[in-house]
Structure formats: structure tokens, C-alpha cells
């Protein structure tokens, strides 16, 4: 009997120190590999969120345009005094219509704006009226480290469209910015203005345009 018990004890095997070390190393490798993937999932969720917010801004701008079209006979976007006035720092180049100006801006300028530290002075804030706008500061509707400027009328229009409120970006350095390329022409050859809305985090990747 004692001999049988002794044999059973001898037959029992456990993990050696070497096996434990190998297992630990594998777990560490898996953790290191998975961490960036989880991080990218987080960034992807932020991108989806900010694009949804940009959609809401675009939709509110479109509603504003259509309301002015009914009231005034010509549509215009928040911040515009007339359909052929700009909002922000980008005007129609000489001998260029709105469609062509929009294409030129997207292809030659917007593709260079991949961060808030770039020269974004062509844009204005969607929801912030000034650097000392307390609502914008508390609501995180601006990034004062960027070169984005302010348009009081446009920001006021948008804040009203959003029920006297605004939206913050899910990105730490993000904020919502826009510009309006003036409408062009007259009569049957007239073209509606175009609006570009972006997140200052990365305007190249995080933007949408609207031409009514």
C-alpha cells in the first residue's frame, strides 16, 4: 500500500521553472501586441464619434441655408451676410467659380492640414465667438493653441441652431472649425456657396463638405 502511494507521488508532474518562464514571456508578448490594437480601437471610436458630430453640424448648416432660401430667396450659411460672401480666410480665386474653388481648396490646401499645429487661419470656429468666450472655454469648443480664428456671427448662428449650446470634440486637441467658400455667378449660372466642416485634430482626414 505504501509502495503504491509512493509510486503515485513520484508520477505527479508539475510545471518546471523553464516552462513557467516561457509562459510568462508569451503572455508579455501578447500583451505588448494587443495594447496598440486596443489603442487603435479607441482612436477609431473617436473618429466615428467626431464624424457623426460633423454630420450634425453639416445638417444644421443645411437647415439654416434652406430657411434663408425660403425667407430671402437665396440660401446662405451661418456667418454669411450674402450668398456670395466668404466666412473664414479663403475667397474665390480670380476667374474661378465656387465648384472649382472648392476642388482647388480640398486638393491643394486641405490635404496639408493634418494637425492643429498647422496654419489653419483659413478656418473659423463653429461654436466659439472669441478667445475669451467663457461658454466655449468651459465647453471645450475651441483649441486656442491652434491658428483658427473667430467669426462672431457664424458662431452665434451655430450656437442658436444647437439650442444655445455647442459640441466638444472627443479628441483632446480637437474642436470644430469651418469655412464657407462664396457662391458665384448670377441668374441661371449662379452657384451656391460651399461649406467645409472639420475637426481641428486632423482636418485632412476628419472633414465633410456640403454644396446645396
Amino acid at each position: 500500500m505504501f509502495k503504491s502511494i509512493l509510486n503515485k507521488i513520484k508520477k505527479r508532474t508539475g510545471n518546471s521553472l523553464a516552462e513557467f518562464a516561457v509562459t510568462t514571456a508569451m503572455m508579455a508578448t501578447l500583451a505588448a501586441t494587443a495594447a496598440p490594437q486596443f489603442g487603435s480601437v479607441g482612436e477609431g471610436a473617436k473618429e466615428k464619434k467626431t464624424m457623426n458630430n460633423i454630420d450634425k453640424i453639416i445638417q444644421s448648416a443645411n437647415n439654416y441655408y434652406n430657411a434663408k432660401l425660403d425667407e430671402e430667396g437665396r440660401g446662405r450659411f451661418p456667418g454669411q451676410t450674402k450668398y456670395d460672401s466668404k466666412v473664414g480666410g479663403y475667397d474665390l480665386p480670380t476667374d474661378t467659380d465656387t465648384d472649382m474653388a472648392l476642388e482647388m481648396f480640398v486638393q491643394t490646401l486641405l490635404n496639408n492640414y493634418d494637425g492643429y499645429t498647422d496654419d489653419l487661419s483659413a478656418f473659423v470656429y463653429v461654436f466659439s465667438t472669441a478667445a475669451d468666450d467663457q461658454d466655449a472655454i468651459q465647453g471645450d469648443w475651441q483649441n486656442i493653441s491652434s491658428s483658427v480664428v473667430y467669426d462672431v456671427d457664424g458662431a452665434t448662428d451655430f450656437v442658436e441652431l444647437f439650442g444655445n449650446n455647442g459640441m466638444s470634440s472627443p479628441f483632446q486637441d480637437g474642436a470644430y472649425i469651418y469655412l464657407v467658400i462664396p457662391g458665384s455667378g448670377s441668374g441661371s449660372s449662379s452657384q451656391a456657396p460651399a461649406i467645409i466642416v472639420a475637426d481641428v485634430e486632423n482636418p485632412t482626414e476628419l472633414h465633410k463638405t456640403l454644396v446645396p
Side-chain angles (χ1 to χ4, degrees):
M1 178 178 177
F2 289 108
K3 187 176 180 179
S4 175
I5 294 174
L6 184 60
N7 287 335
K8 288 182 180 180
I9 293 174
K10 287 181 178 180
K11 288 180 181 179
R12 289 182 180 174
T13 58
N15 294 329
S16 68
L17 184 60
E19 290 173 327
F20 180 76
V22 170
T23 303
T24 303
M26 291 175 61
M27 292 177 65
T29 301
L30 288 172
T33 304
Q37 293 180 349
F38 283 122
S40 64
V41 169
E43 291 300 301
K46 290 179 182 179
E47 289 181 8
K48 184 176 181 180
K49 173 67 174 177
T50 204
M51 293 306 291
N52 286 339
N53 286 347
I54 289 174
D55 275 335
K56 293 175 184 178
I57 296 169
I58 286 284
Q59 185 58 55
S60 68
N62 190 51
N63 293 342
Y64 183 94
Y65 179 92
N66 289 329
K68 295 304 177 184
L69 180 63
D70 291 339
E71 296 170 9
E72 304 171 0
R74 274 194 183 275
R76 57 186 174 90
F77 288 118
Q80 284 189 292
T81 54
K82 297 188 300 181
Y83 88 102
D84 58 355
S85 63
K86 67 177 182 178
V87 179
Y90 185 75
D91 209 342
L92 287 175
T94 305
D95 299 325
T96 325
D97 60 22
T98 306
D99 289 346
M100 187 181 300
L102 175 61
E103 183 178 353
M104 290 171 58
F105 182 84
V106 171
Q107 292 183 356
T108 64
L109 295 176
L110 187 57
N111 285 336
N112 297 320
Y113 301 150
D114 59 1
Y116 73 95
T117 57
D118 292 327
D119 181 7
L120 302 176
S121 56
F123 289 91
V124 298
Y125 284 106
V126 173
F127 299 112
S128 182
T129 60
D132 59 354
D133 181 345
Q134 290 302 311
D135 287 337
I137 293 171
Q138 294 172 10
D140 199 24
W141 304 340
Q142 59 174 265
N143 179 343
I144 57 175
S145 298
S146 74
S147 55
V148 178
V149 295
Y150 301 86
D151 184 273
V152 175
D153 293 335
T156 300
D157 289 338
F158 270 116
V159 169
E160 290 178 356
L161 288 169
F162 278 80
N164 295 320
N165 208 336
M167 287 192 298
S168 61
S169 166
F171 292 99
Q172 179 177 347
D173 296 314
Y176 295 112
I177 56 179
Y178 82 108
L179 63 81
V180 177
I181 299 174
S184 60
S186 59
S188 59
S189 63
S190 65
Q191 292 186 1
I195 186 171
I196 303 173
V197 180
D199 191 322
V200 73
E201 169 75 14
N202 186 340
T204 299
E205 298 293 336
L206 307 175
H207 75 271
K208 290 197 175 183
T209 63
L210 171 66
V211 181

